[in-house]
Amino acid sequence: MPELQLKQLYDGFRDPRTVAELASQIKQLAAKLDEPVNVMEVCGGHTHTIMKYGLLQLLPDNIEFIHGPGCPVCIMPKERIDQAAALAQIPDVILVTLGDMIRVPGSEGSLAQFRAKGCDIRPIYMPLDALKIAQENPDKTVVYFAIGFETSTPMTAVLLEQAEKLGIPNLLFHINHVLVPPAIDAVMADPDTRVNAFIGPSHVSVITGSQIYQPTVDNYHTPVVVSGFEPVDVMQSILSIVKQKVEGRCALENQYERAVSYKGNEAAQQKVNHFFTVRPSFRWRGLGPIPNSALMLKPEYRHRDAELKYGERLPVKEIDDHKACQCGDILRGKAKPQDCKVFGRGCTPQTPLGSCMVSSEGACNAYYRYAGVK
Amino acid sequence: MCLSIPSQVVELHPEIQSVTVDTLGVKRTVSCHLMEEPLAVGDYVLIHIGFVMNKIDAASAAESLALYKEIVDKMEAADA
């Protein structure tokens, strides 16, 4: 075997001939299925791959994708964005957050709109940038509006660790880190759910290990395959699911062995456990409150907690989506983006009504970009 | 925000717990604070929001690619 090149890591797992051959194998095997397979791809990254590479069109009719709630931007309820906007309006506060979050509408507007009104809101590409901003602005308070699933929490933990170690007092956190397994439980608790298989996001499992899905397999008797994000990865994972279904098995499998282990990155897990504890309840956009589904800072780090420090200034009113927006049903797998009356009409990536349209990983955004408006 | 990206380590900066990586021609410096095992130039890694999350096992990736090539070769032989 010649030495592996970086380009092969991309091209090899995007090779159209491999995708076509896997599709043909899936078709042959799927003909033996007794019932349709409704695969929830939990993560928006997979939705993006499925739409971008046209994988839907390659699969037989008895395999359907249901787009799950795993996009940190899509699941953020409006009141949390309102809280970020309230923080940004406090004099001498600089609010920093990751990429797409800045465009998600809150009840009074998006963070981008508040920035246009003069608030100091800065999008960053990596959490450690917040440290630099805090160091460069010692007379201001920098609040990191922290978002993301298990994939992104360790990075917030490192940021906090560095702030403590370097003695940077003016960096606070508004924590919105959420957890995949309770969201799966919320989806499966619905008696009308059609989901009977999952592909799990590999980057979550790079951190947590594939182990976090064992209860899903055991509790719901569904196959779970931890999958990479390239089209070949997704197709191979679908093939594994169909094989399991045909053989009447349900097991946890790891398609992405090249980076995911059963136990995951234990150093990262330790950092998360050091700084965070489980939040009793968190309200998810579209799914409502889910117990033990998010994290918060441990009491010993309350001096870094913007939610505590500015508590009396933060709005707590729970705000539901625009009536016409069906993001909730879409996140529960009960509707497709094109079922929504405002999809592509009142709600577009330029003027999003719902956050599934805002984020580049949102189901509506992916459908709009790659499948168009009918 | 969530697409983790395969990259290759091209420079080490142990003094700031960072490495420079190449992501298909784009070079940038990322943090190694989440890595327990040391990294070497030439390693393949996954990057997420400015951090190395993990090493990619090159042998395992090459094995998968070899398997796919075999599948495609068989398919083409069958079509011929």
Side-chain angles (χ1 to χ4, degrees):
Chain A
M1 174 68 56
E3 203 186 326
L4 186 70
Q5 301 294 311
L6 181 59
K7 197 170 176 306
Q8 282 170 281
L9 272 179
Y10 286 83
D11 292 348
F13 294 98
R14 290 179 188 173
D15 177 36
R17 291 176 310 162
T18 311
V19 171
E21 178 53 19
L22 287 168
S24 140
Q25 291 189 10
I26 291 169
K27 262 186 197 155
Q28 282 173 25
L29 206 55
K32 298 180 189 166
L33 287 169
D34 299 327
E35 54 166 14
V37 181
N38 302 316
V39 188
M40 174 165 274
E41 87 275 9
V42 178
C43 173
H46 281 142
T47 311
H48 188 88
T49 300
I50 289 161
M51 297 309 293
K52 182 174 176 184
Y53 294 98
L55 303 186
L56 270 183
Q57 289 84 340
L58 294 174
L59 293 172
D61 291 343
N62 57 351
I63 298 176
E64 194 187 331
F65 286 111
I66 293 177
H67 315 298
C71 161
V73 175
C74 306
I75 61 89
M76 193 66 68
K78 282 189 175 174
E79 61 267 22
R80 302 295 289 184
I81 296 161
D82 289 349
Q83 290 192 358
L87 288 167
Q89 289 174 77
I90 298 170
D92 294 330
V93 163
I94 303 173
L95 187 90
V96 296
T97 191
L98 292 171
D100 283 344
M101 201 62 230
I102 201 160
R103 294 182 50 233
V104 180
S107 65
E108 307 280 325
S110 67
L111 293 175
Q113 286 166 319
F114 278 95
R115 185 172 60 165
K117 287 180 197 164
C119 293
D120 196 345
I121 296 172
R122 305 185 191 182
I124 53 175
Y125 295 101
M126 43 185 94
L128 281 181
D129 288 347
L131 197 67
K132 210 187 323 166
I133 295 172
Q135 282 170 313
E136 288 167 359
N137 296 277
D139 52 339
K140 303 261 175 105
T141 299
V142 174
V143 179
Y144 178 51
F145 187 62
I147 63 164
F149 282 83
E150 287 89 337
T151 341
S152 309
T153 316
M155 293 71 178
T156 304
V158 171
L159 177 62
L160 177 49
E161 186 183 60
Q162 291 301 304
E164 289 284 292
K165 201 168 136 189
L166 301 173
I168 296 167
N170 59 326
L171 178 62
L172 304 185
F173 294 77
H174 186 281
I175 300 294
N176 301 277
H177 285 303
V178 285
L179 304 167
V180 170
I184 289 181
D185 290 337
V187 166
M188 295 309 279
D190 185 334
D192 296 331
T193 187
R194 295 183 298 125
V195 177
N196 60 6
F198 288 92
I199 52 174
S202 56
H203 57 356
V204 165
S205 283
V206 163
I207 301 291
T208 64
S210 58
Q211 58 182 345
I212 59 161
Y213 300 109
Q214 193 60 55
T216 306
V217 174
D218 297 341
N219 295 340
Y220 308 114
H221 307 291
T222 55
V224 178
V225 179
V226 173
S227 172
F229 284 104
E230 299 298 344
V232 168
D233 292 325
V234 173
M235 292 301 272
Q236 200 191 14
S237 301
I238 299 299
L239 182 61
S240 302
I241 284 173
V242 176
K243 266 188 193 155
Q244 287 195 35
K245 288 282 184 187
V246 167
E247 292 165 10
R249 293 185 297 123
C250 60
L252 172 63
E253 288 181 8
N254 177 13
Q255 180 275 334
Y256 203 65
E257 277 180 337
R258 59 190 190 271
V260 169
S261 65
Y262 185 73
K263 286 192 162 173
N265 181 333
E266 292 178 272
Q269 292 166 26
Q270 275 165 18
K271 284 191 202 295
V272 170
N273 293 335
H274 181 80
F275 291 105
F276 294 97
T277 183
V278 173
R279 190 184 286 262
S281 182
F282 189 84
R283 209 171 85 99
W284 292 51
R285 191 162 194 275
L287 294 176
I290 305 178
N292 304 321
S293 64
L295 298 176
M296 58 185 190
L297 291 173
K298 279 189 174 168
E300 52 268 44
Y301 295 102
R302 61 192 314 149
H303 58 286
R304 296 275 177 189
D305 194 335
E307 247 182 295
L308 288 175
K309 177 158 183 191
Y310 297 113
E312 76 285 358
R313 300 194 198 204
L314 300 184
V316 288
K317 191 176 171 219
E318 295 177 352
I319 296 157
D320 288 322
D321 293 330
H322 189 283
K323 269 189 197 155
C325 169
Q326 271 188 276
C327 281
D329 285 341
I330 292 162
L331 291 170
R332 275 194 297 264
K334 296 177 120 181
K336 297 277 180 199
Q338 281 133 329
D339 299 334
C340 178
K341 278 184 194 147
V342 290
F343 172 79
R345 294 177 177 87
C347 182
T348 66
Q350 287 73 40
T351 54
L353 271 186
S355 46
C356 294
M357 187 60 95
V358 174
S359 159
S360 59
E361 288 157 37
C364 296
N365 187 298
Y367 270 70
Y368 186 90
R369 264 204 281 184
Y370 300 118
V373 183
K374 280 186 185 161
Chain B
M1 59 169 278
C2 263
L3 293 176
S4 49
I5 308 167
S7 307
Q8 191 164 30
V9 177
V10 292
E11 268 176 60
L12 305 174
H13 314 289
E15 70 289 356
I16 49 165
Q17 254 187 293
S18 302
V19 290
T20 301
V21 294
D22 176 339
T23 313
L24 280 182
V26 179
K27 289 196 174 61
R28 60 204 170 131
T29 303
V30 292
S31 155
C32 298
H33 286 93
L34 295 173
M35 292 299 294
E36 273 188 328
E37 54 177 325
L39 291 172
V41 169
D43 280 348
Y44 295 103
V45 291
L46 279 183
I47 308 294
H48 177 63
I49 51 174
F51 283 81
V52 179
M53 297 168 87
N54 206 1
K55 263 164 77 161
I56 299 173
D57 180 348
S60 160
E63 217 172 273
S64 300
L65 291 171
L67 179 73
Y68 299 141
K69 190 174 176 306
E70 208 177 289
I71 292 173
V72 170
D73 287 349
K74 263 190 206 161
M75 175 184 77
E76 285 177 351
D79 289 346

